[in-house]
Amino acid sequence: MSPLRGPAHLRTALSASFRRRFHAQAPPGGGLDESGPLACRLESRSVVRFRGPDTLKFLQGLLTNDVRRLGAADPPGSGGSSSDTSASCIPTQNLEFRPPPPLYAALLTPQGRFLYDLFLYRPPRADEKLDRTGSGPGSDDSGEPFTLMADVDSAFVDELLDCFKKYRLRSKVEIDNVAKEYFCWQRFGSNHLTKVPSAQEPETASVGWGKGIDHAAISSTQGNDVGWQWFKDPRLDHLGFRGIFPSNSIPPLVEADKEVGEQHYLIWRYQKGIPEGSYEIPKGEAVPLEYNLVGLNAISFDKGCYVGQELVARTHHRGVIRKRLFPLKFLNDKGEELQQAVSPNSEIKDGESNKKVGAVTAALGCHGLGLVRLEEALKQSSNLCIKDKEEVRVKIIKPDWWPIEWMQLEEQQSAAA
């Protein structure tokens, strides 16, 4: 059992202790870009279930993304929208069924500061899954309530539940912690999108009901849990695949020699400049656009009102962002990588002017994430270092997934400054 699961009154202390031990361990070696596909169970994430007829309406008014898309394939009366009739067909071997992809979203304070991030999934209904014989769809249970699952930061799951229940008021939605029943998994690696799935993983073309419709989102076809799937990570394609699976089984396509610890996934994210959770995106402090949540598909600007929308919309339309989160690498004077030399919250300064230019938000091994002033980051200065540790040099890396317009806008801002 994960050290992050336990009695509620011990959760916070256990979470902090786990993170300290986790980051104190020796980081994995290099070569993550060549060793995929890897898989790991994310012990830093817990699973929460939202269930009831008001689920979509409730979350739509709170979260930054358009949650209604998760109900698009539902028939009338199930809590979702029936506008997409082609997606609500009963699946057969000759008729494709495409479940709605998961969403990445955030809950903000009324002042527009980040609180929690969520990956939202709509689990398949009984008639969208194989029956126990594996020869056809299961029977439709019309009394089954509309359900969404979310993987959230384990360290803050109790706070998150309290926050949602505070907003619930008279909404008909149940909110439960189901971390003992379900685990969150991630598949990642450099060759997820470059290889042809049917050639490299031939078994994926015939697994699941409606075979061959999605070579990446592979159904589990065992026992009563038929239909749980891998989905493309909703943030970026090259982050691989993510999914929620029953805790009593190993997800499909997880090879024994490719299952790794979560540290490998952290290093992978840090190299790409991807924050996750309420430690790496500081709870109650972070401005969502500075932490690149727009580029990570967490924010919809045409969904209507939600908590904290005013600041996000105003900042976006003004187009002035003076700081952003960047991948960092920590080196010595000779350009050699320094392992475990920097801790989160360390200040980044310019060695010549002695001025603060940013701060480290996460660090593991020689990699990290840092919120840095764009003017300084675009200079690509070699004089950046850690305050009180001048021997530790900081190299700022421009993420290769950033939209072109971001780079153009930031270069214009730097020139104007």
Side-chain angles (χ1 to χ4, degrees), residues 399-415:
D400 55 8
W401 57 268
W402 275 19
I404 295 177
E405 56 268 23
W406 282 17
M407 302 302 296
Q408 294 174 341
L409 179 61
E410 283 145 12
E411 288 173 358
Q412 293 172 6
Q413 291 180 11
S414 178

Side-chain angles (χ1 to χ4, degrees), residues 181-253:
E181 302 172 41
Y182 301 97
F183 290 152
C184 178
W185 287 74
Q186 184 90 17
R187 290 183 78 223
F188 59 101
S190 60
N191 58 348
H192 270 295
L193 300 179
T194 56
K195 68 183 183 182
V196 179
S198 59
Q200 298 295 328
E201 296 178 343
E203 73 275 17
T204 67
S206 59
V207 175
W209 186 251
K211 60 183 181 181
I213 63 175
D214 189 345
H215 301 291
I218 310 306
S219 297
S220 170
T221 57
Q222 303 296 325
N224 294 326
D225 299 319
V226 175
W228 294 98
Q229 293 183 334
W230 290 106
F231 291 96
K232 283 186 179 180
D233 193 302
R235 297 167 295 179
L236 298 171
D237 282 345
H238 66 238
L239 286 180
F241 304 99
R242 196 177 182 104
I244 292 174
F245 297 90
S247 58
N248 60 0
S249 63
I250 300 296
L253 304 183

